[in-house]
Amino acid sequence: MNKIIDSITELLNDVDYFSEIASAVDLRKYVFDEIDSFIYPVGVNYLSINKSYVNDYQQAYSVLFIKWLYSENEWNLDEESIAEERWAELLKTIWIPRHHKNVNIKQYSPLEFINEVAAWLDHNEFPKAQIELFKTQHSLASLIEVIDLYACHHCFGETEKVFFICEFGCGYD
């Protein structure tokens, strides 16, 4: 577990490096699994990629962060025209700081994670079979909380097959 904490702490403490890795991400090269479920005031936003796509925690977090950023802002991949150097500068000065204000990296219990996410998904009338599958797939996850927002959590972790980020809780949207 300390490898995840150390790796993500190092990444977030070196915004130049984080922006360099993130600016090189071409989202068209990846396949993501996604859950985006929000019924006021509770939401779950989950993204995962197969471990075969990335080399380490830092690259995984960077790819998932860029995918989350594109989804959150409803940016169109087909309209990319910004130079990588300019994109790195925008990530460094605007997007990374804006979305990593309340960094509070700590271990997060897989049991607490699956129970909370399952409760929020159930509240949002997510299919019960998919909730049970989620719980099974993540019961042995290694994960950390990266950002602690009021009544909302932003976690990063891994299962045997995937890396994932997940935001969940009240006031998510």
Side-chain angles (χ1 to χ4, degrees):
M1 181 62 73
N2 287 338
K3 285 178 73 174
I4 296 175
I5 290 173
D6 293 345
S7 184
I8 299 306
T9 299
E10 180 182 319
L11 179 68
L12 296 180
N13 285 335
D14 188 347
V15 179
D16 290 329
Y17 183 62
F18 187 8
S19 63
E20 179 184 318
I21 292 173
S23 67
V25 170
D26 180 354
L27 292 175
R28 294 171 284 219
K29 294 181 179 181
Y30 303 97
V31 175
F32 298 90
D33 284 326
E34 244 176 295
I35 297 171
D36 191 7
S37 176
F38 183 81
I39 297 178
Y40 183 83
V42 176
V44 174
N45 185 296
Y46 171 91
L47 292 169
S48 72
I49 56 169
N50 190 291
K51 285 185 167 182
S52 66
Y53 284 123
V54 293
N55 299 322
D56 57 31
Y57 296 123
Q58 292 180 346
Q59 186 182 23
Y61 188 85
S62 299
V63 169
L64 291 165
F65 172 70
I66 292 299
K67 173 61 175 165
W68 179 86
L69 196 58
Y70 267 77
S71 296
E72 181 74 13
N73 291 288
E74 298 179 0
W75 293 337
N76 186 340
L77 282 175
D78 297 327
E79 294 177 8
E80 280 189 43
S81 62
I82 192 167
E84 190 172 315
E85 296 79 26
R86 178 69 179 136
W87 180 223
E89 185 63 27
L90 291 171
L91 287 168
K92 177 180 161 182
T93 58
I94 298 171
W95 297 108
I96 292 171
R98 181 180 292 172
H99 292 285
H100 292 88
K101 289 179 191 173
N102 300 314
V103 171
N104 182 26
I105 298 175
K106 62 183 180 184
Q107 291 182 334
Y108 204 86
S109 159
L111 182 59
E112 186 178 353
F113 173 74
I114 62 173
N115 286 339
E116 286 187 53
V117 171
W120 299 136
L121 289 172
D122 187 55
H123 171 273
N124 292 350
E125 301 172 2
F126 209 73
K128 298 241 185 267
Q130 288 181 330
I131 293 172
E132 289 306 312
L133 180 61
F134 181 90
K135 288 172 70 174
T136 300
Q137 291 172 334
H138 294 82
S139 64
L140 299 175
S142 296
L143 69 148
I144 59 173
E145 180 178 66
V146 178
I147 302 167
D148 184 8
L149 304 169
Y150 177 73
C152 182
H153 304 276
H154 175 90
C155 293
F156 170 74
E158 68 177 324
T159 66
E160 184 179 321
K161 297 181 181 181
V162 301
F163 289 109
F164 63 88
I165 58 172
C166 187
E167 283 192 356
F168 56 94
C170 291
Y172 149 86
D173 195 33

